[in-house]
Amino acid sequence: GAPWAGAAAPGAQLPCCGLRGFILLDGETFEVKGNWEKGSNVPALGYDFWYQPRHNVLMSTELGIPKVLANGLDPADLKTGSYGRHINVWDWTTHVFTQSIDLGEDSIPLEIRFLHNPDAAEGYVGCALSSAIHRFYKTGNGNWAAEKVVQVPSKKVNGWLFPEMPGLITDILISLDDKFLYFSNWFHGDIRQYDISNTRKPRLVGQVFLGGKIPRDGPIVVVEDQELNCQPEPFVIKGKRVQGGPQMIQLSLDGKRLYVSTSLYSGWDKQFYPDLVKEGSVMLQIDVDTVKGGLKVNKNFLVDFGSEPHGPVLAHEIRYPGGDCSSDIWI
């Protein structure tokens, strides 16, 4: 599951998403208090969550059955209902599951984010396998709905697990001023920045490639691409070729520095990026144009986890002490 989000007042109790529901933790001691959800009618799967007390709602997403996904992605499992496809809606006050929003077969919704404005009844969820961003929102009758607002086209390829390669959106975040949406494509190897001044029509304003499965000197040949004219160059920084692809991301509070790590999950790392497992992951910094939009790699910043004691290490989450763009929730 995902780590708990948001700062808590002394004595508060915090939900932590699990397979079917939520573990309730004491906000000071982190002692397990029991289950957060009430009733027996709960979704079969869980992963990330975000809540908005002003609208009395918590939203959760679905990854998949742990024993199925633990050792990698098997195409046969996609037709057995082993992976998730829903946003699940919960009543924040009563802890009762109230609604399910279907995002489509094999979508695998992962990270979910409300806008930071506590009055805003909308946000975004990134779907890994379908490589789509959906905007969720509160309707006039008080229910919740979703609409697809970004679609990353799959690339037709030779020499890979599937004949088409999705971007595999593994992380998303929204800047604290609610101006930009960022997300990573772990397979394609790029990070994207969208202007969301119009939340229903995100506009691509920045993009950088940081590895991925399709560099031009690799074994995979892209035979049809709706976005690129040629396969990207291998990504090298400070003389090191970066293995893996951009994965977890975190933005500085002023919105000017975007940090990225390259490991997803060890079972999937081993399957798709075996050299990443051998060499360890890295953390990179992307400089952000917060006025017009735009992304540029900081070539002077590299944290190489391959040389860690008892390594190499596969670093994953990135967090600021005291709160950041993917933990702070205002009530």
Side-chain angles (χ1 to χ4, degrees):
W4 62 267
Q13 295 184 336
L14 306 170
C16 180
C17 194
L19 175 60
R20 292 180 58 87
F22 299 84
I23 298 171
L24 191 63
L25 304 179
D26 184 276
E28 290 185 332
T29 66
F30 292 98
E31 177 188 358
V32 176
K33 309 294 288 186
N35 282 52
W36 177 84
E37 75 280 358
K38 305 297 183 183
S40 58
N41 178 31
V42 297
L45 298 172
Y47 181 66
D48 194 27
F49 71 92
W50 199 271
Y51 53 94
Q52 184 41 268
R54 290 195 185 182
H55 297 284
N56 193 39
V57 67
L58 180 147
M59 303 280 199
S60 65
T61 59
E62 302 178 338
L63 201 175
I65 298 173
K67 68 179 181 180
V68 170
L69 62 89
N71 296 316
L73 177 62
D74 185 342
D77 292 328
L78 297 175
K79 303 303 178 184
T80 62
S82 299
Y83 285 92
R85 57 187 290 172
H86 301 96
I87 299 174
N88 295 309
V89 184
W90 305 76
D91 186 293
W92 176 249
T93 303
T94 65
H95 307 181
V96 172
F97 170 58
T98 61
Q99 185 186 349
S100 186
I101 305 170
D102 193 345
L103 301 178
E105 187 178 17
D106 299 336
S107 53
I108 311 184
L110 297 183
E111 311 301 329
I112 189 165
R113 307 280 185 257
F114 268 95
L115 295 183
H116 293 288
N117 177 357
D119 287 326
E122 62 179 320
Y124 299 96
V125 61
C127 295
L129 198 59
S130 63
S131 299
I133 301 291
H134 293 257
R135 169 183 170 263
F136 62 87
Y137 59 95
K138 195 173 187 178
T139 67
N141 62 13
N143 289 330
W144 294 82
E147 60 179 351
K148 184 166 66 175
V149 293
V150 176
Q151 177 65 64
V152 177
S154 294
K155 303 178 188 299
K156 292 185 179 181
V157 296
N158 289 332
W160 196 59
L161 181 66
F162 298 99
E164 294 191 7
M165 179 186 290
L168 203 78
I169 298 174
T170 52
D171 197 14
I172 71 170
L173 64 77
I174 300 171
S175 60
L176 282 180
D177 59 8
D178 290 338
K179 183 177 180 180
F180 296 112
L181 168 73
Y182 299 86
F183 66 80
S184 54
N185 285 307
W186 196 57
F187 284 159
H188 289 179
D190 62 312
I191 289 180
R192 302 189 181 203
Q193 177 193 26
Y194 284 79
D195 185 315
I196 53 171
S197 300
N198 182 342
T199 57
R200 298 192 67 183
K201 295 183 178 180
R203 180 170 58 91
L204 182 63
V205 293
Q207 184 179 27
V208 288
F209 282 82
L210 307 170
K213 295 296 298 179
I214 57 168
R216 62 173 57 195
D217 64 345
I220 296 173
V221 177
V222 178
V223 295
E224 185 177 320
D225 195 324
Q226 298 181 38
E227 296 185 312
L228 303 178
N229 294 323
C230 61
Q231 293 178 233
E233 297 289 342
F235 181 71
V236 179
I237 182 170
K238 289 192 170 186
K240 177 181 176 63
R241 177 167 179 160
V242 171
Q243 305 296 339
Q247 210 281 100
M248 300 307 290
I249 53 179
Q250 190 53 257
L251 188 66
S252 62
L253 300 183
D254 62 6
K256 295 182 179 181
R257 299 175 307 282
L258 183 69
Y259 296 95
V260 55
S261 61
T262 52
S263 169
L264 174 59
Y265 179 72
S266 60
W268 290 47
D269 291 348
K270 292 173 184 177
Q271 180 181 13
F272 294 108
Y273 293 108
D275 289 337
L276 170 66
V277 179
K278 296 176 184 177
E279 298 182 23
S281 65
V282 300
M283 184 168 69
L284 307 168
Q285 178 183 313
I286 312 300
D287 295 329
V288 180
D289 184 331
T290 58
V291 179
K292 297 180 180 179
L295 303 176
K296 184 179 180 181
V297 178
N298 185 330
K299 289 300 185 83
N300 296 315
F301 185 99
L302 171 67
V303 179
D304 185 352
F305 293 96
S307 57
E308 284 290 300
H310 310 293
V313 172
L314 298 173
H316 183 77
E317 287 279 10
I318 305 168
R319 287 287 182 266
Y320 273 88
D324 52 48
C325 293
S326 52
S327 65
D328 280 4
I329 295 171
W330 288 277
I331 57 175

